[in-house]
Amino acid sequence: MPVLLAPEQAPSLTNLLASVNTAGLDTFIAGNPQPDPIIQGIGSLQQAGPSEISFLSNPRLKAELDRCKAAVVIVPPEVFEALKDRDLPYGLVKCDQPYLLYALLAQWFDRHRISRLASGVHPTAVVHSSAQLESNVHIGPHCVVEAHARIGAGSRLGPGCVVGEKSVLGRDCLLHARVTIYHGVQIGSRAILHSGSVIGADGFGFAPDPSSQGAWAKIAQLGGVHIGDDVEIGANTTVDRGALDDTVIGNGVKLDNQIMIAHNVHIGDHTAMAACVGVAGSTVIGKRCTIGGASMLSGHITLGDDVHVSGGTAITSNVAQPGRYTGVYPFAEHVQWQKNAAVISQLSQLRRRVRACEKNQD
């Protein structure tokens, strides 16, 4: 990664670590080769330069340290103990969770980058006179903010975004280019929405219409979407509005690219979904769940808290017990699925043995 900050803007290592929330992390700075180096950026072990901080989270990759040119490296305790008495060209930060500390530092550098970007309303943007823009808001080129919408302090809209009538965006949100938020959507603070995401489109609601064979009557989708704080939604992901009540996305939920969340779905806090997941209408997903890529969840079912679904799995009925579930059809508790899969892999041999037994009986 290239150096992010000019030397006069860069913090010392001590100040940098003090600027992020390290609550619950056990960290210790070793003062070699400098007691408090200036840190201009963050980079990988292979690419970080002499003014950057890097990290090692997997001790099996310890050999990469021999070629590292970073100013400081964050390492787990076992690596720190092995290196602390050696004459190293870089300093060490011992941390029990190096990957998490790296994530916090990367957030710090990204916030610094964003804070230096221009704020204000671009001349080509269209903002209704009744819309409320709080302090330090940026509305990019060709954006549209409709009547009675509210944009929280420090939030940024990239080029071509649309915020619909009476929708609310919290503080310090980041909408990349071409995000569309329909009317009556509420999004909490610090949300990140990537390009092409659509929040609040109509759910897929239709009733059979006997006036014409095979016809469908549209059910107007009168609900909204309610999204909590610290949510990230990937590129081209869609979250439909509710038919009557709201579709609800809890705090800290992370949705990857190209995910479909249907109307009236409820997703609990801190659940994460990988790309191409499809969740049918009125499904309830608990807290701290993980849903693997390309998984499908049928409508009107409930997943409890701490349920983990492997990629490509079709969930067609309620899952109450925490655990990992795997399989296209039928799904099963993961350990049971593994046993079944082991049997299936031997079916051809079993078939030959059965045929041999049948011949012997003849």
Side-chain angles (χ1 to χ4, degrees):
M1 177 180 285
V3 172
L4 295 178
L5 304 180
E8 62 273 13
Q9 300 169 339
S12 67
L13 175 61
T14 300
N15 288 338
L16 176 61
L17 293 177
S19 298
V20 300
N21 181 12
T22 57
L25 291 179
D26 181 15
T27 59
F28 174 77
I29 301 174
N32 181 32
Q34 302 177 53
D36 205 10
I38 299 300
I39 304 299
Q40 293 178 256
I42 186 168
S44 67
L45 286 174
Q46 298 84 1
Q47 299 296 326
S51 61
E52 294 177 284
I53 189 170
S54 189
F55 73 100
L56 172 71
S57 59
N58 187 345
R60 289 180 294 179
L61 301 178
K62 189 168 61 174
E64 298 287 345
L65 293 171
D66 295 337
R67 297 178 291 275
C68 181
K69 299 179 180 179
V72 181
V73 180
I74 306 164
V75 296
E78 59 269 33
V79 174
F80 179 84
E81 292 301 320
L83 297 178
K84 66 180 182 179
D85 296 324
R86 289 175 52 181
D87 184 18
L88 300 171
Y90 46 79
L92 295 175
V93 174
K94 181 181 72 172
C95 182
D96 56 341
Q97 298 185 64
Y99 197 60
L100 176 56
L101 182 54
Y102 148 71
L104 296 172
L105 293 174
Q107 290 178 19
W108 186 92
F109 280 102
D110 199 45
R111 286 195 301 270
H112 189 278
R113 176 189 66 84
I114 293 172
S115 69
R116 297 183 61 81
L117 298 176
S119 59
V121 178
H122 193 273
T124 61
V126 178
V127 179
H128 194 275
S129 59
S130 64
Q132 300 177 45
L133 306 184
E134 297 182 2
S135 61
N136 298 318
V137 163
H138 175 71
I139 310 296
H142 304 289
C143 289
V144 176
V145 180
E146 295 185 348
H148 305 290
R150 187 168 78 246
I151 311 296
S155 292
R156 302 186 61 85
L157 276 61
C161 290
V162 176
V163 178
E165 183 179 5
K166 296 183 179 178
S167 285
V168 176
L169 198 63
R171 297 174 61 90
D172 298 312
C173 293
L174 175 60
L175 275 58
H176 290 276
R178 297 181 295 102
V179 170
T180 301
I181 299 174
Y182 281 50
H183 64 280
V185 171
Q186 296 186 49
I187 299 177
S189 296
R190 299 173 300 280
I192 300 174
L193 277 65
H194 290 275
S195 294
S197 56
V198 177
I199 313 299
D202 280 1
F204 193 66
F206 299 90
D209 185 352
S211 63
S212 179
Q213 185 176 7
W216 299 93
K218 181 176 177 62
I219 300 172
Q221 303 293 286
L222 304 178
V225 178
H226 189 283
I227 296 176
D229 296 334
D230 302 299
V231 171
E232 183 159 356
I233 297 178
N236 295 322
T237 286
T238 58
V239 180
D240 285 351
R241 68 192 316 105
L244 291 172
D245 299 323
D246 289 349
T247 301
V248 178
I249 310 294
N251 296 325
V253 169
K254 311 300 181 186
L255 303 180
D256 197 0
N257 302 334
Q258 297 176 320
I259 289 173
M260 167 64 196
I261 306 297
H263 59 182
N264 298 107
V265 167
H266 283 223
I267 301 177
D269 294 352
H270 307 298
T271 285
M273 297 185 187
C276 299
V277 167
V279 183
S282 299
T283 287
V284 177
I285 300 172
K287 299 177 181 179
R288 301 175 301 277
C289 296
T290 58
I291 313 297
S295 295
M296 297 287 114
L297 277 65
S298 296
H300 299 270
I301 63 172
T302 298
L303 273 63
D305 297 342
D306 302 298
V307 169
H308 306 287
V309 178
S310 298
T313 298
I315 302 294
T316 56
S317 60
N318 295 341
V319 179
Q321 294 298 319
R324 185 178 177 190
Y325 296 82
T326 302
V328 177
Y329 182 82
F331 75 92
E333 196 277 330
H334 185 66
V335 173
Q336 185 62 44
W337 177 86
Q338 287 180 310
K339 293 177 180 178
N340 292 337
V343 172
I344 290 170
S345 68
Q346 301 173 34
L347 281 179
S348 60
Q349 297 177 13
L350 180 61
R351 179 171 177 264
R352 286 195 294 268
R353 291 169 59 186
V354 170
R355 284 191 169 183
C357 290
E358 291 174 343
K359 287 181 180 179
N360 290 336
Q361 290 177 353
D362 292 342

